[in-house]
Amino acid sequence: MIKISKFLLIATLLFAVACSTEDDGDNGGDSNGGDNFDRGEMLANWADNIIVPSFVAFQEETQKLEDIAKAFAENPGTTELNVLRAQYKVAYQEFQTVEMFQIGKAEELNYRSFLNTYPTKTENIESKIASGSYNLELPSNFAEQGFPALDYLLYSYGSTEETLEVFAANPEYINYIVAVTERINALTTEVTASWEGDYRDTFVNNTSSSSTGSVDRFTNDYVMYFEKILRSGKIGYPAGAFTGSPSPTNVEALYAGDISKNLYLQALDSFEDFYYGVKVNGGENGLSYYQYLKYMQDATSSESITASIADQFSAIRAQSSELDSNLKSQVETDNSKMLAAFDELQKEVVLLKVDMMQALSISVDYVDSDGD
């Protein structure tokens, strides 16, 4: 009787260990998410053909931005300022291709918050420049650096001549610009190096279907980005979609003005390309959400979610053609078009957050605090 009890105890422990091993999500576990779709190949496509090349391309632009800012500091003339302004626009546009990838080192560093918290706190920037004392590594300084701070420093003081006069009166303005560009480039270099180093394998090899698996975690970040950053940040808050009171000063690139719609469209393009598995450097599309959903539809003969998502991407794009290139102007002149853009984006949120995630058996792990 004692021997039988020991056997049962050992068997129970072995069963418990086996279950724990399947659920821990860090060693592969159930690599197919309960189906036979190759999550490992999808993760490899995301990392090797989309995320890493996107960060490499963006890092090249942030390095140029820092170099050009330092050249401007050496010779603060009209031509040099115009070159710096142009590179700011190029780099900000390129940033829209990586902003959605807030995972791994980017999540650890609060990368997105350091590079793109807006509206920027202009009074704090002026105070820091006046004092000549600041620490851009502090999270409390999210809204005093990144692209929104450059937007303010490069475009808020008037014409090129007027801007140069401000800088000439206090060279600390240019020192602050250089510090901001150094910070953007340093953070981007660190995130890029992480993906080119060990994190790529950590991400790709974690094929578990548990909540800690790469697919589940990234999908939550991906959908959250669309809902909170793209829909709410770029369109909803300026349009007053949550308060009923339009707030044109909440648009992205407030001071440069006419690039705000382009930033929105680049973010939308990059998000949609990722959904279809479009490779940054060309070639046939790899595995991503579209292929995964198509696989699940074919296996279950279920309703076509892919067609609904594709139709809604088209509807968003058709509506965006009605928007002014300057979204601040759009809010001030005809906010109904901004609210219409928000409504079309919201329809896609439902398809992604409810239909897609349910079809892929992925639980939502973030809280919706917008009250919508």
Side-chain angles (χ1 to χ4, degrees):
M1 187 68 185
I2 293 175
K3 291 182 178 178
I4 292 175
S5 297
K6 286 182 176 179
F7 172 78
L8 288 174
L9 176 60
I10 293 171
T12 301
L13 289 171
L14 288 173
F15 179 75
V17 169
C19 290
S20 174
T21 301
E22 288 177 358
D23 291 340
D24 65 12
D26 295 327
N27 62 352
D30 179 0
S31 63
N32 298 317
D35 53 64
N36 290 319
F37 188 80
D38 193 338
R39 287 184 166 209
E41 183 179 341
M42 181 170 72
L43 289 167
N45 181 54
W46 287 354
D48 299 337
N49 298 314
I50 303 176
I51 299 175
V52 173
S54 294
F55 270 114
V56 168
F58 179 53
Q59 199 277 325
E60 290 176 359
E61 299 303 333
T62 63
Q63 183 63 61
K64 289 180 186 175
L65 183 66
E66 179 182 334
D67 293 343
I68 290 171
K70 289 179 175 176
F72 174 64
E74 291 290 326
N75 186 16
T78 301
T79 299
E80 289 75 13
L81 177 58
N82 288 334
V83 171
L84 178 56
R85 284 174 165 175
Q87 183 58 29
Y88 149 80
K89 291 181 178 179
V90 169
Y92 208 175
Q93 187 86 7
E94 194 72 29
F95 173 68
Q96 307 300 321
T97 69
V98 303
E99 190 176 19
M100 75 182 97
F101 304 137
Q102 183 80 342
I103 194 169
K105 182 61 72 174
E107 182 180 25
E108 176 187 328
L109 296 174
N110 282 317
Y111 179 69
R112 183 165 59 216
S113 296
F114 276 115
L115 264 65
N116 202 29
T117 294
Y118 59 93
T120 195
K121 293 183 178 177
T122 59
E123 291 183 1
N124 290 0
I125 291 174
E126 294 291 347
S127 175
K128 285 179 166 54
I129 290 173
S131 70
S133 176
Y134 41 84
N135 180 358
L136 298 181
E137 295 184 4
L138 297 176
S140 57
N141 291 335
F142 281 156
E144 295 151 22
Q145 59 185 292
F147 289 103
L150 288 181
D151 178 53
Y152 169 70
L153 292 165
L154 296 177
Y155 288 96
S156 72
Y157 301 119
S159 67
T160 301
E161 292 73 20
E162 291 169 332
T163 301
L164 289 174
E165 287 177 7
V166 170
F167 294 169
N170 183 0
E172 191 58 40
Y173 279 96
I174 296 178
N175 293 338
Y176 197 87
I177 288 172
V178 171
V180 170
T181 61
E182 287 177 335
R183 179 77 174 144
I184 290 172
N185 189 38
L187 288 168
T188 303
T189 299
E190 189 170 355
V191 173
T192 304
S194 174
W195 275 104
E196 291 182 314
D198 294 341
Y199 185 69
R200 182 268 177 204
D201 287 345
T202 300
F203 179 77
V204 170
N205 292 335
N206 188 3
T207 57
S208 167
S209 61
S210 74
S211 61
T212 58
S214 290
V215 173
D216 288 46
R217 290 190 60 215
F218 182 83
T219 301
N220 269 280
D221 292 343
Y222 176 75
V223 174
M224 190 276 288
Y225 167 79
F226 188 87
E227 180 179 3
K228 305 295 184 184
I229 307 300
L230 202 159
R231 181 208 61 168
S232 299
K234 299 180 191 302
I235 301 294
Y237 292 131
F242 306 106
T243 62
S245 300
S247 181
T249 57
N250 279 338
V251 301
E252 195 171 26
L254 172 66
Y255 300 98
D258 59 1
I259 66 170
S260 49
K261 179 183 175 181
N262 282 341
L263 298 180
Y264 163 58
L265 291 179
Q266 181 63 67
L268 181 64
D269 287 346
S270 298
F271 186 90
E272 185 176 4
D273 283 350
F274 192 91
Y275 170 82
Y276 284 107
V278 176
K279 297 176 180 177
V280 170
N281 293 323
E284 186 178 348
N285 291 358
L287 296 184
S288 193
Y289 293 115
Y290 171 78
Q291 293 78 8
Y292 200 174
L293 286 170
K294 191 74 170 54
Y295 171 86
M296 296 299 288
Q297 288 168 187
D298 292 344
T300 60
S301 300
S302 58
E303 187 176 350
S304 178
I305 301 171
T306 54
S308 298
I309 292 175
D311 288 345
Q312 194 53 39
F313 274 129
S314 297
I316 294 168
R317 207 167 297 285
Q319 194 283 329
S320 69
S321 67
E322 301 177 13
L323 297 175
D324 192 281
S325 61
N326 186 332
L327 296 183
K328 175 175 180 286
S329 298
Q330 187 63 68
V331 174
E332 293 171 335
T333 57
D334 184 1
N335 192 48
S336 66
K337 291 181 179 177
M338 287 288 282
L339 291 171
F342 177 85
D343 290 342
E344 294 299 338
L345 291 165
Q346 173 59 19
K347 293 174 187 175
E348 193 74 290
V349 168
V350 175
L351 290 168
L352 296 169
K353 190 175 179 180
V354 179
D355 298 55
M356 183 180 85
M357 293 184 72
Q358 284 184 355
L360 301 182
S361 299
I362 296 172
S363 299
V364 176
D365 68 5
Y366 65 92
V367 177
D368 179 359
S369 59
D370 289 336
D372 58 332

